[in-house]
Amino acid sequence: MEQAPNNKWLEAWLMVPDGDIKDQKAPNKLVPNIPVLAEELREIGICYWKLDASAYSYPKIAIPWDTSDAIDSDLKRLHDDCGYSYADIITIHPNTLPEYKTKVRAFFEEHIHNTEEIRYVLGGSGYFDVCNRYDEWVCMHVKAGDLVTLPEGLYHRFTIDEGNSIHAMRLFIGQPKYVKVYLEEEKKDKD
């Protein structure tokens, strides 16, 4: 399935330096704002599709979620084209996620995985931050209908935005087996 055309990609921008972030749920844009275009995101391996999440109903939480239950033809096509065979669905919200504050802080710790990361936003919104080739943080604002893949080995982090809620599906090829490597752990290994 073709990715979204460049002019239909999600909004992205360069972020303020980490030391200037006072609220991880805020946009944290530079002043003046420096947008990041789809071409730049593609260069670092980001893939993006826009689906119609509002046309279908998904459970708030399903671990695992049977991908054969998908009735969205675009999601089925991506499932088949990319070989996604496992999924789960979570809702990050104070009323649905135990230890909400602790987990939201933990999601914002920069890390990499040994497999690609695939997220489909079913409702709500949040920010995926990724490191570009200049080691600058790029913030991507994800909303309902956004399906984003991050390549293996790309430093990233996630947070909900000021809406305090996101309903998302994680997709995997095979059973989830990735290992998170946090930047601090990698620095220790190099010393």
Side-chain angles (χ1 to χ4, degrees):
M1 185 169 137
E2 295 267 336
Q3 290 185 50
N6 287 352
N7 64 342
K8 301 287 184 187
W9 272 52
L10 45 71
E11 183 185 11
W13 55 85
L14 287 181
M15 295 182 68
V16 298
D18 279 355
D20 294 342
I21 294 175
K22 294 175 182 37
D23 179 0
Q24 74 185 53
K25 297 179 190 178
N28 292 303
K29 293 180 180 183
L30 291 170
V31 178
N33 182 39
I34 302 175
V36 175
L37 303 176
E39 295 89 349
E40 297 171 78
L41 295 172
R42 288 181 194 271
E43 283 178 9
I44 58 172
I46 305 294
C47 297
Y48 175 75
W49 295 266
K50 184 67 175 181
L51 306 180
D52 186 4
S54 66
Y56 305 96
S57 178
Y58 296 94
K60 287 200 178 297
I61 297 173
I63 302 172
W65 181 70
D66 188 345
T67 55
S68 66
D69 287 344
I71 56 173
D72 177 344
S73 60
D74 288 335
L75 182 58
K76 278 186 179 235
R77 192 166 348 138
L78 273 171
H79 168 273
D80 294 342
D81 290 354
C82 298
Y84 302 144
S85 55
Y86 180 94
D88 58 28
I89 298 173
I90 63 167
T91 300
I92 300 171
H93 183 273
N95 296 336
T96 59
L97 184 65
E99 301 176 38
Y100 169 81
K101 287 182 181 179
T102 301
K103 288 184 179 171
V104 167
R105 275 193 305 274
F107 295 151
F108 198 62
E109 293 180 35
E110 58 195 72
H111 60 278
I112 57 175
H113 300 289
N114 61 351
T115 62
E116 75 175 336
E117 181 163 328
I118 308 107
R119 298 294 181 268
Y120 177 30
V121 181
L122 304 170
S125 51
Y127 300 118
F128 260 114
D129 301 340
V130 294
C131 260
N132 67 14
R133 58 188 174 161
Y134 305 107
D135 288 328
E136 299 165 314
W137 281 110
V138 174
C139 182
M140 300 183 299
H141 196 192
V142 292
K143 301 174 184 171
D146 293 340
L147 193 149
V148 178
T149 66
L150 311 179
E152 172 185 346
L154 179 68
Y155 275 101
H156 64 280
R157 58 191 179 197
F158 173 79
T159 188
I160 54 175
D161 61 17
E162 293 155 324
N164 286 320
S165 180
I166 193 165
H167 182 206
M169 179 184 297
R170 300 185 316 162
L171 296 148
F172 300 89
I173 297 171
Q175 293 291 316
K177 294 179 185 170
Y178 65 60
V179 175
K180 282 185 179 180
V181 177
Y182 291 94
L183 182 58
E184 290 305 314
E185 291 173 18
E186 188 174 89
K187 284 180 183 175
K188 287 179 195 172
D189 290 344
K190 289 182 181 177
D191 291 341

